[in-house]
Every structure is written in structure tokens, then in C-alpha cells.
Amino acid sequence: MGLWDAIFGEFIDVIEWLDESNDTLVYRFKRYQNEIKYGAKLIVRQSQSAVFVNEGEIADVLGPGIYELETKNLPILSTLQHWDHGFNSPFKAEVYFCNLRRFIDLKWGTKNPIILRDKEFGIVRLRAFGTYEIRINDPKKVVEELVGTNPDFDIDDVSGGLRNLIITKFTSIVGESNIPVVDLAGNYEQLSRYIKENLDKEFDDMGFELLGFRIENISVPEAVEKAIDERSSMGAIGNLDNYLKYKSASALEHSSDASSMVGMGAGFAMAEKLAKSFEKDSSQPKKEYVPEPFETLYYIAKENAPDGPYSIDEIEDMIKSGNLKQDTKVWYSGLDMWKEAKSIEELKELFKLITPPPLP
């Protein structure tokens, strides 16, 4: 710094910040070791707040307006500074301008898929993204907790931590909600509102106000999307009898020779038979089998080779039909070696229930 810069430093009499960026949260007034003149003017514009820091301690926080830096305007600062020379005494202090405007359209999203358990599709992986809005509501807390001595603190300096906070809360709430995957889209608004309510305090602790939070999309892997599409297609078919007749009639419309007519007649008969079989099956309630997450699967020794795997229900059917004897070798994950079926506790009980006692 040259001589003239040092001399000019004694005459800092206007302190202001003209924000030329779109992403700066906090800006430290650059004085380059210059002293602030006693009685200097501080200009704080709308959507700004000025924080005075003296020797690492916050002296005062001023809102929008024009101030003359005097002891009567800065009572807290006067207790930290020595005004030995009265009006002529300059002082050194750091001035941080906080941007109080809304920061909108901030992005959040999952870096990796979230693994959840769904009632219909089992374990699924979800990805999600959306937007949120914030603004500073406590300049003192932001300067103390986040800014430190950073001369320029922009939205990128804090967005990473805020995103991680959002994703953690999103994962927890969606996992506890037990909303089926196919119904998530219909609950975006309700979920967004509930997640925001749970994030409000976390943001407030850092000096921010969460003005808005939105879920824009929750997506599932391609395999789950295909399963959903197939289920939708089956629902769109509706009455199977009418559907098969319609398909046969459409094919008949484009046929002209006699052999095709005969084939279409057979097609009608087959369609009617298939529809009746479906109606017969649907008239009786079906017991839907839902495998347990850690269900034991069994292998049996058949012609000196492992055969399987079989569920416990399939093993029971084999015992009933006589295809599985008590001395048949059986193995499942967790056994060190193959054992006779009668020596395995679960199967032993099945033999007792199914095999009648010997005749007297």
C-alpha cells in the first residue's frame, strides 16, 4: 500500500454495498486496514442489514437507513472503543452487509437412490429432486455461525449443507409415511408441506428462514416403472371375455380366405373357453403368497445332484405326495453339510403332522 493510500485511508467516510451479484449472502466491506472516520456515514439499503464486528465481537446490527457513526448511534460500540480524541478519533471495525432478499429456485436432489420398503413392490430404490427458497432472518447468527472471516459468503457456500439436511429429513419422512410408490405423486403437496414444517427449526438455528419447499419429482427404477405399466395395462383391459372377442373380431375383419375363417372360429371358441376359466378362477378367493424378506429356501438331493430351491410350502407338498422321504438329504443356507430331512426340526414337525402312525 502506497503513501497516498494510507493517507486516503484516514478519510473513509462512506460505507455502503452495491450488490452486483445474484448469489451473495454476506459481503464484508473492504477497508484494507483503513480506519473508519468518526462521524462517517453508513448507508444500509432495503433488503440489507449491517453487522459491526470489533475484535471478533459483534458490536451492533443495523437495518435499512442512513447512519452517522457516532457514539450516540452506536452505544454498544462505544463500550468496546476508546474515544480518547472525541470527534477526531477514527476507529477500526469490520462491517458485514447481509443480503436479506429471497433466494428462490434453489435446487435439491438425491445423489444416490434411497432404498425403501414398499407394500406392493417390496424393496425399491427412489430418486427425488425439487426446489426450495430461503432468506436470512438473523444476520447476527449467520455472521457468528457460518461466515467467520469470509469476505464474500455466497449461496454456494451454504447450499451443500442445506441440501444434505433436506435429503436426510426427506428420506426419514418418506420412509415413515408408508405411502405406496404408486400413490406418491398424489401426495407431493402434502409431503412438501410436512417436510418444510420439520425443516423450519433446523434452518432457523443457522439464521435462515425456509420460505418454501417443493417436491417436483420422485422416480423409481426402470424395472419398477415397467411393472407399474403392466399393472395399468391389465387394469385397462377390463372384461377379459369382451377383450378377447374384440381381438378376435379385429383379426377376422382383416382375413379373407376360408382357412382364416376356420382359424377365427377356433379363436372364438378358445377365447370363450379362456374367459370362462378366468371367471371360474376369479369366483374363488385366492390366497396371495407374499414371501418373507429372509425366507429359508431348501435344496434336496436328487440323483446325486442338488435340486431346488424350494419354499417350505413346496417342501410340505412334496412330503404329502411322497416325493420327499425322511431319509432324503436336505440342505439350506446356514447348514455345514447335507442332513436327512427327519433331522431338520422344521421338516421333522411336518413329517409328524402328515405321516400317520403305524397300524396296530
Side-chain angles (χ1 to χ4, degrees):
M1 181 182 297
L3 176 62
W4 290 108
D5 292 329
I7 294 174
F8 180 74
E10 299 295 333
F11 295 94
I12 293 181
D13 54 4
V14 177
I15 302 174
E16 62 179 337
W17 175 42
L18 299 175
D19 185 12
E20 298 178 356
S21 69
N22 293 320
D23 60 356
T24 303
L25 283 168
V26 180
Y27 169 81
R28 186 176 68 186
F29 180 72
K30 294 180 173 62
R31 57 182 178 82
Y32 302 103
Q33 299 182 349
N34 296 331
E35 294 181 327
I36 300 171
K37 182 179 178 181
Y38 180 81
K41 286 187 177 181
L42 169 67
I43 301 175
V44 184
R45 290 174 167 78
Q46 289 293 331
S47 299
Q48 290 183 355
S49 179
V51 180
F52 273 82
V53 178
N54 177 257
E55 297 181 357
E57 185 175 354
I58 292 180
D60 216 337
V61 180
L62 301 174
I66 299 177
Y67 303 87
E68 289 188 6
L69 304 183
E70 299 175 350
T71 54
K72 64 180 180 180
N73 294 329
L74 298 173
I76 300 178
L77 185 62
S78 64
T79 64
L80 304 176
Q81 294 283 349
H82 298 287
W83 304 95
D84 299 332
H85 305 286
F87 181 82
N88 296 319
S89 175
F91 64 95
K92 290 184 178 180
E94 295 174 331
V95 182
Y96 291 85
F97 286 92
C98 293
N99 193 341
L100 304 184
R101 72 174 181 84
R102 298 170 67 111
F103 286 83
I104 63 175
D105 201 32
L106 303 178
K107 310 294 185 182
W108 69 270
T110 54
K111 296 179 181 178
N112 299 306
I114 301 171
I115 300 177
L116 298 174
R117 187 183 299 276
D118 184 73
K119 295 179 180 178
E120 298 185 37
F121 299 99
I123 297 176
V124 296
R125 292 177 290 114
L126 301 180
R127 289 184 180 272
F129 64 85
T131 60
Y132 64 102
E133 301 177 13
I134 64 169
R135 72 177 169 200
I136 296 175
N137 68 342
D138 191 335
K140 181 179 178 181
K141 190 178 293 185
V142 170
V143 172
E144 284 180 337
E145 302 291 337
L146 299 175
V147 177
T149 59
N150 193 341
D152 290 298
F153 187 78
D154 58 34
I155 194 66
D156 289 336
D157 293 322
V158 72
S159 60
L162 296 180
R163 279 197 301 267
N164 292 337
L165 183 63
I166 289 172
I167 293 170
T168 300
K169 191 67 67 175
F170 171 85
T171 303
S172 176
I173 290 176
V174 173
E176 294 173 357
S177 68
N178 292 323
I179 299 175
V181 169
V182 294
D183 295 331
L184 281 174
N187 290 274
Y188 282 179
E189 184 175 353
Q190 184 178 357
L191 277 174
S192 298
R193 184 169 57 252
Y194 185 67
I195 292 172
K196 178 188 177 302
E197 292 173 356
N198 281 266
L199 286 170
D200 282 340
K201 187 180 183 305
E202 305 280 354
F203 277 70
D204 185 69
D205 290 342
M206 293 185 288
F208 294 103
E209 179 183 3
L210 181 60
L211 300 172
F213 177 83
R214 285 172 290 277
I215 300 172
E216 294 185 6
N217 182 263
I218 300 177
S219 60
V220 295
E222 184 178 351
V224 179
E225 288 183 352
K226 184 178 179 181
I228 294 174
D229 291 341
E230 289 177 352
R231 181 171 298 185
S232 300
S233 299
M234 290 301 297
I237 289 175
N239 187 290
L240 183 62
D241 186 16
N242 293 337
Y243 175 75
L244 292 174
K245 289 180 179 179
Y246 165 77
K247 295 294 289 183
S248 299
S250 298
L252 179 62
E253 183 179 351
H254 296 86
S255 301
S256 57
D257 55 22
S259 60
S260 297
M261 295 292 288
V262 173
M264 290 305 102
F268 273 119
M270 181 61 71
E272 185 177 359
K273 183 177 180 180
L274 183 60
K276 288 181 178 179
S277 67
F278 268 85
E279 290 174 0
K280 181 179 179 181
D281 292 340
S282 61
S283 62
Q284 299 178 356
K286 293 183 179 180
K287 184 179 179 181
E288 184 178 357
Y289 173 70
V290 180
E292 295 295 331
F294 303 102
E295 181 181 12
T296 301
L297 297 176
Y298 299 87
Y299 291 83
I300 64 173
K302 189 175 183 180
E303 298 180 356
N304 295 324
D307 182 37
Y310 296 103
S311 67
I312 189 65
D313 292 338
E314 292 172 317
I315 292 292
E316 183 179 357
D317 291 339
M318 295 170 70
I319 293 174
K320 290 179 179 178
S321 63
N323 293 326
L324 180 63
K325 307 295 184 182
Q326 296 192 34
D327 57 353
T328 303
K329 298 292 185 180
V330 178
W331 180 88
Y332 62 86
S333 179
L335 287 181
D336 296 333
M337 60 185 67
W338 292 76
K339 292 185 177 182
E340 292 185 349
K342 64 182 179 182
S343 64
I344 297 175
E345 193 64 30
E346 295 85 351
L347 307 188
K348 180 180 178 181
E349 295 300 322
L350 289 178
F351 281 112
K352 289 181 180 180
L353 294 173
I354 296 172
T355 306
L359 292 171

